[in-house]
Amino acid sequence: MDMDVSQYKELFINEAQEHLEALNQSLVDLEKDPGNPDVLTEIFRSAHTLKGMSATMGFDQLTELAHEMENVLDGLRSGDIEASTEIVDLLFGCFDLLGAMVAAIAEGSAQPIDTQPVIDALRQAYGGGSPTFVPRKAPSAGVEKEKSEREAESPVPVPQELGGEEELLRLRVTLDRDCALKSVRVFMIFRKLSQLGRVAGSRPSMEDLEDEKFDRSFEVFLMTATKREEIRKELLAIAEVSQVEFLEEEEASGAETEEEPSRPEEIVTISSSKESGAGAAVPLRTQSVRVNISRLDNLMNLIGELVINRTRLQEIASSYNIPELKEALAQTARLTADLQDEVMKTRMVPVEHIFNRFPRMVRDLAKNRGKEVDFTMEGRDIELDRTILDEISDPLMHLLRNAVDHGIDSPEEREARGKPRRGSIKLAARRDRNYVSIEVSDDGQGIDVQKVWEKAVAAGLLSPEDRRTLGSEEVLRLLTAPGFTTTDEVSGVSGRGVGLDVVRSKVESLGGMLVMETAKGEGTTFAMKLPLTLAIIQALLVRVSGETYAIPLGTVSETAVISSHEIKSVSGQEVIFLRDETLPLVRLARCLGLPEDDGHGTFPVVVVEIAPRSIAVAVDELLGQQEIVITSLDKFLKGIRGFGGATILGTGEVALILDIPTLLS
Amino acid sequence: MAPTVLIVDDALFMRMMIRDILSKDGFEVIGEAENGVEAVERYKEMRPDLVTMDIVMPEMDGIEAVRQIMKIDPNAKILMCSAMGQQPLVVEALEAGAKDFIIKPFQPSKVIEAVEKALKS
């Protein structure tokens, strides 16, 4: 009876990938600390589980590779094989191949993958030309020991039946056709027999039985006082024992016919337990359930709709002034908030989900570039929305690659500068109010602001006069401008700016910010500040020229009301003074190309934080703070800078969500 | 009353599969554990009629878990789940008191047979 395993495929793929990540992680650790038995055990266990899972799914090629790999790991564990660079590289290669095979399974690709070279290399590593799945010598030793112990005990057997006379019985035991681990079955049978009497001999010999050199049945001579029926019952109680016959002068037929009726009886008991159990068996899901991410998306969308409707009802309640409805809605508001919170939590995944693959990547890259790097990670348990997490994986990889490639200097250069030979790169996640900050920092050569500046001027991006008004942070922002590169900044082929524009736009499209800090000769830090979730945010609603806009509250630091005479001008730029701080003033209407409504004495400003500075944005009216559901702009509108999406307000009115950093940049 | 079962395996995938096989045949899976330590704890709490026990697991392996469970309840019925190539470990587990074993890849008929027999023993 074969079972349909296809329903488990997705689960298998997920778990197999997790195991591969764990393997990569552990192997990086092992390379740092070669003899560590805990790490070795960890690796062995993951590999072993992977093998078992693959075998269960019937992925033979995967199983075979995992099996060969296990042999090498076993050698490492026993100390027969040394964790040399070649072995570690071989294992990494093996993980990659396993990964590719799992990926092929996931895609349902029929493309054959050639595992032979890796398998050959693995076999060579553990010195085994031994064919697959042949048990090592150890089992027979175990059985042997057991047997001799039993034999030593057998002079004082526990008589099952008092007063019975011992006789010599000849039994033929037949195992199931597809019995696995026959030697262990033999062990179980002999153990049972030695409790029932004394084993006098067997055919084939004990040794051959342990080596599984028999087909399905073997004969045993047993000195016993136990009744035959008892013996038969006891032996049949062992799984995969299909028949027990007593042979007397070559006649076994009697036993066989006697045995037949006992089988159907068993089948009856099985089926009856099936029936009685069907009603009672309500399995308790005690642990966790895996849910497809699209289900959670749907759930989030539905809650979004619910929030919109709630807001609508609230507006009806206030315009008709119905206190009872207001009260009921306050309750509904609490409930939807809780519901939203719960769904949000289910969508949260620890960042280690994507962090785990980085140590391996950094290791490979550093090795490839001839750099020595210590890679550390912090805050792996910090949680982020699954969607965001998936999106930032590539940008993070980019930043790390940059750090290894361009950030960290070569060991020789480092020594010449009086720094330790080994550079260090740190990946850290931390929770910061409504944001999660993910930082990649290195202690490399840093970025030379002066050089960036010169490049920018040479490229015509800035004029020499700009130098006076622009701070170094703004100059550094140029690094993330598309196509900007500072080739002589670093020795490599590509400049530091490679891909940074991609990273920045990705982070910004997620409603986050990319912040950069650098000190020449000391290192560079890139920080991604990301919102916890994408779907629903708190926003400040403002009105400009009769239109309503939403500003994500995450970027708002405060609001104030100022009068027009407080506006000053500094080198052509309008500024206001707020508590001794000079803030540039941006008129939102002008910024959006809307007719300006001037002439009134006072107007509100929204102070937004665009790292590293704050900017005051002038609007006509503040409407208040509200929870909004983000609807992303579709493909026709997606390219417009300055808007993070749209939202439907309770009134049914559509409001655009301002993406302040891109709008003002 | 359906016999109660505790499933111990570090792979969720394996636990699901065993759960499905057993549930279909009318057994009541009352708990799962993903390592030996959890297995011993769950056993104390739940006293299942039968335990299916993986051998290679984090924290505490299946063999040690069998030893500890047998100390708590000498009549415990434990079925080992093993992969090919683990004969010595299976023998060790049987010596520690496990009743029987099943081999991955699982065949539902074999699993049910072993479970039925272990319960009757």
PDB file of all heavy atoms in Angstrom, chain A residues 608-625:
ATOM      1  N   VAL A 608       8.094  67.084   9.548  1.00  0.00           N
ATOM      2  CA  VAL A 608       8.398  65.692   9.202  1.00  0.00           C
ATOM      3  C   VAL A 608       9.894  65.448   9.340  1.00  0.00           C
ATOM      4  O   VAL A 608      10.705  66.341   9.111  1.00  0.00           O
ATOM      5  CB  VAL A 608       7.946  65.347   7.757  1.00  0.00           C
ATOM      6  CG1 VAL A 608       6.437  65.361   7.669  1.00  0.00           C
ATOM      7  CG2 VAL A 608       8.557  66.297   6.756  1.00  0.00           C
ATOM      8  N   GLU A 609      10.197  64.214   9.700  1.00  0.00           N
ATOM      9  CA  GLU A 609      11.596  63.830   9.865  1.00  0.00           C
ATOM     10  C   GLU A 609      12.058  63.133   8.598  1.00  0.00           C
ATOM     11  O   GLU A 609      11.518  62.093   8.218  1.00  0.00           O
ATOM     12  CB  GLU A 609      11.708  62.810  10.995  1.00  0.00           C
ATOM     13  CG  GLU A 609      12.232  63.368  12.284  1.00  0.00           C
ATOM     14  CD  GLU A 609      12.282  62.266  13.311  1.00  0.00           C
ATOM     15  OE1 GLU A 609      11.211  61.948  13.869  1.00  0.00           O
ATOM     16  OE2 GLU A 609      13.369  61.727  13.527  1.00  0.00           O
ATOM     17  N   ILE A 610      12.992  63.731   7.914  1.00  0.00           N
ATOM     18  CA  ILE A 610      13.621  63.013   6.824  1.00  0.00           C
ATOM     19  C   ILE A 610      15.076  62.973   7.216  1.00  0.00           C
ATOM     20  O   ILE A 610      15.755  63.987   7.149  1.00  0.00           O
ATOM     21  CB  ILE A 610      13.466  63.737   5.472  1.00  0.00           C
ATOM     22  CG1 ILE A 610      12.004  64.042   5.211  1.00  0.00           C
ATOM     23  CG2 ILE A 610      14.041  62.907   4.345  1.00  0.00           C
ATOM     24  CD1 ILE A 610      11.791  64.912   4.002  1.00  0.00           C
ATOM     25  N   ALA A 611      15.470  61.801   7.699  1.00  0.00           N
ATOM     26  CA  ALA A 611      16.818  61.730   8.235  1.00  0.00           C
ATOM     27  C   ALA A 611      17.793  62.312   7.220  1.00  0.00           C
ATOM     28  O   ALA A 611      17.644  62.069   6.023  1.00  0.00           O
ATOM     29  CB  ALA A 611      17.171  60.284   8.541  1.00  0.00           C
ATOM     30  N   PRO A 612      18.743  63.115   7.610  1.00  0.00           N
ATOM     31  CA  PRO A 612      19.074  63.412   9.001  1.00  0.00           C
ATOM     32  C   PRO A 612      18.438  64.694   9.528  1.00  0.00           C
ATOM     33  O   PRO A 612      18.809  65.142  10.595  1.00  0.00           O
ATOM     34  CB  PRO A 612      20.594  63.581   8.921  1.00  0.00           C
ATOM     35  CG  PRO A 612      20.810  64.179   7.564  1.00  0.00           C
ATOM     36  CD  PRO A 612      19.717  63.706   6.684  1.00  0.00           C
ATOM     37  N   ARG A 613      17.499  65.269   8.801  1.00  0.00           N
ATOM     38  CA  ARG A 613      16.978  66.553   9.269  1.00  0.00           C
ATOM     39  C   ARG A 613      15.459  66.594   9.309  1.00  0.00           C
ATOM     40  O   ARG A 613      14.794  65.668   8.868  1.00  0.00           O
ATOM     41  CB  ARG A 613      17.493  67.668   8.375  1.00  0.00           C
ATOM     42  CG  ARG A 613      17.005  67.510   6.947  1.00  0.00           C
ATOM     43  CD  ARG A 613      17.814  68.322   6.018  1.00  0.00           C
ATOM     44  NE  ARG A 613      17.863  69.717   6.471  1.00  0.00           N
ATOM     45  CZ  ARG A 613      18.513  70.667   5.811  1.00  0.00           C
ATOM     46  NH1 ARG A 613      19.157  70.372   4.703  1.00  0.00           N
ATOM     47  NH2 ARG A 613      18.505  71.895   6.241  1.00  0.00           N
ATOM     48  N   SER A 614      14.924  67.673   9.844  1.00  0.00           N
ATOM     49  CA  SER A 614      13.482  67.854   9.878  1.00  0.00           C
ATOM     50  C   SER A 614      13.088  68.969   8.925  1.00  0.00           C
ATOM     51  O   SER A 614      13.843  69.908   8.717  1.00  0.00           O
ATOM     52  CB  SER A 614      13.032  68.216  11.299  1.00  0.00           C
ATOM     53  OG  SER A 614      13.279  67.144  12.160  1.00  0.00           O
ATOM     54  N   ILE A 615      11.910  68.854   8.378  1.00  0.00           N
ATOM     55  CA  ILE A 615      11.409  69.857   7.451  1.00  0.00           C
ATOM     56  C   ILE A 615       9.985  70.222   7.854  1.00  0.00           C
ATOM     57  O   ILE A 615       9.209  69.343   8.251  1.00  0.00           O
ATOM     58  CB  ILE A 615      11.422  69.311   6.000  1.00  0.00           C
ATOM     59  CG1 ILE A 615      12.874  69.109   5.535  1.00  0.00           C
ATOM     60  CG2 ILE A 615      10.677  70.245   5.041  1.00  0.00           C
ATOM     61  CD1 ILE A 615      13.016  68.437   4.204  1.00  0.00           C
ATOM     62  N   ALA A 616       9.655  71.502   7.780  1.00  0.00           N
ATOM     63  CA  ALA A 616       8.293  71.930   8.095  1.00  0.00           C
ATOM     64  C   ALA A 616       7.497  72.003   6.793  1.00  0.00           C
ATOM     65  O   ALA A 616       7.928  72.609   5.823  1.00  0.00           O
ATOM     66  CB  ALA A 616       8.318  73.286   8.781  1.00  0.00           C
ATOM     67  N   VAL A 617       6.364  71.335   6.763  1.00  0.00           N
ATOM     68  CA  VAL A 617       5.531  71.326   5.570  1.00  0.00           C
ATOM     69  C   VAL A 617       4.275  72.142   5.855  1.00  0.00           C
ATOM     70  O   VAL A 617       3.519  71.825   6.782  1.00  0.00           O
ATOM     71  CB  VAL A 617       5.150  69.877   5.190  1.00  0.00           C
ATOM     72  CG1 VAL A 617       4.259  69.866   3.955  1.00  0.00           C
ATOM     73  CG2 VAL A 617       6.397  69.032   4.952  1.00  0.00           C
ATOM     74  N   ALA A 618       4.082  73.166   5.085  1.00  0.00           N
ATOM     75  CA  ALA A 618       2.933  74.033   5.313  1.00  0.00           C
ATOM     76  C   ALA A 618       1.695  73.480   4.614  1.00  0.00           C
ATOM     77  O   ALA A 618       1.756  73.080   3.451  1.00  0.00           O
ATOM     78  CB  ALA A 618       3.240  75.436   4.790  1.00  0.00           C
ATOM     79  N   VAL A 619       0.576  73.402   5.332  1.00  0.00           N
ATOM     80  CA  VAL A 619      -0.684  72.925   4.744  1.00  0.00           C
ATOM     81  C   VAL A 619      -1.777  73.937   5.079  1.00  0.00           C
ATOM     82  O   VAL A 619      -1.558  74.872   5.842  1.00  0.00           O
ATOM     83  CB  VAL A 619      -1.055  71.536   5.288  1.00  0.00           C
ATOM     84  CG1 VAL A 619      -0.005  70.508   4.906  1.00  0.00           C
ATOM     85  CG2 VAL A 619      -1.245  71.551   6.792  1.00  0.00           C
ATOM     86  N   ASP A 620      -2.972  73.732   4.537  1.00  0.00           N
ATOM     87  CA  ASP A 620      -4.061  74.666   4.809  1.00  0.00           C
ATOM     88  C   ASP A 620      -4.792  74.325   6.104  1.00  0.00           C
ATOM     89  O   ASP A 620      -5.269  75.184   6.820  1.00  0.00           O
ATOM     90  CB  ASP A 620      -5.070  74.660   3.653  1.00  0.00           C
ATOM     91  CG  ASP A 620      -4.457  75.209   2.374  1.00  0.00           C
ATOM     92  OD1 ASP A 620      -3.341  75.776   2.466  1.00  0.00           O
ATOM     93  OD2 ASP A 620      -5.064  75.060   1.303  1.00  0.00           O
ATOM     94  N   GLU A 621      -4.910  73.014   6.352  1.00  0.00           N
ATOM     95  CA  GLU A 621      -5.731  72.612   7.479  1.00  0.00           C
ATOM     96  C   GLU A 621      -5.300  71.225   7.957  1.00  0.00           C
ATOM     97  O   GLU A 621      -4.953  70.370   7.148  1.00  0.00           O
ATOM     98  CB  GLU A 621      -7.204  72.535   7.013  1.00  0.00           C
ATOM     99  CG  GLU A 621      -8.227  72.538   8.112  1.00  0.00           C
ATOM    100  CD  GLU A 621      -9.647  72.352   7.554  1.00  0.00           C
ATOM    101  OE1 GLU A 621      -9.874  72.607   6.346  1.00  0.00           O
ATOM    102  OE2 GLU A 621     -10.508  71.923   8.322  1.00  0.00           O
ATOM    103  N   LEU A 622      -5.336  71.012   9.262  1.00  0.00           N
ATOM    104  CA  LEU A 622      -5.087  69.673   9.804  1.00  0.00           C
ATOM    105  C   LEU A 622      -6.441  69.040  10.098  1.00  0.00           C
ATOM    106  O   LEU A 622      -7.258  69.620  10.799  1.00  0.00           O
ATOM    107  CB  LEU A 622      -4.283  69.763  11.098  1.00  0.00           C
ATOM    108  CG  LEU A 622      -2.866  70.342  11.029  1.00  0.00           C
ATOM    109  CD1 LEU A 622      -2.271  70.420  12.435  1.00  0.00           C
ATOM    110  CD2 LEU A 622      -1.978  69.500  10.131  1.00  0.00           C
ATOM    111  N   LEU A 623      -6.666  67.857   9.534  1.00  0.00           N
ATOM    112  CA  LEU A 623      -7.978  67.230   9.737  1.00  0.00           C
ATOM    113  C   LEU A 623      -7.982  66.239  10.884  1.00  0.00           C
ATOM    114  O   LEU A 623      -9.026  65.868  11.384  1.00  0.00           O
ATOM    115  CB  LEU A 623      -8.413  66.508   8.460  1.00  0.00           C
ATOM    116  CG  LEU A 623      -8.627  67.402   7.241  1.00  0.00           C
ATOM    117  CD1 LEU A 623      -8.933  66.570   6.018  1.00  0.00           C
ATOM    118  CD2 LEU A 623      -9.757  68.400   7.502  1.00  0.00           C
ATOM    119  N   GLY A 624      -6.831  65.757  11.259  1.00  0.00           N
ATOM    120  CA  GLY A 624      -6.777  64.822  12.381  1.00  0.00           C
ATOM    121  C   GLY A 624      -6.083  63.527  12.031  1.00  0.00           C
ATOM    122  O   GLY A 624      -5.735  63.266  10.876  1.00  0.00           O
ATOM    123  N   GLN A 625      -5.917  62.708  13.073  1.00  0.00           N
ATOM    124  CA  GLN A 625      -5.188  61.457  12.927  1.00  0.00           C
ATOM    125  C   GLN A 625      -6.179  60.324  12.680  1.00  0.00           C
ATOM    126  O   GLN A 625      -7.238  60.288  13.293  1.00  0.00           O
ATOM    127  CB  GLN A 625      -4.418  61.222  14.229  1.00  0.00           C
ATOM    128  CG  GLN A 625      -3.615  59.967  14.277  1.00  0.00           C
ATOM    129  CD  GLN A 625      -2.971  59.832  15.649  1.00  0.00           C
ATOM    130  OE1 GLN A 625      -2.673  60.809  16.318  1.00  0.00           O
ATOM    131  NE2 GLN A 625      -2.758  58.602  16.060  1.00  0.00           N
TER     132      GLN A 625
END
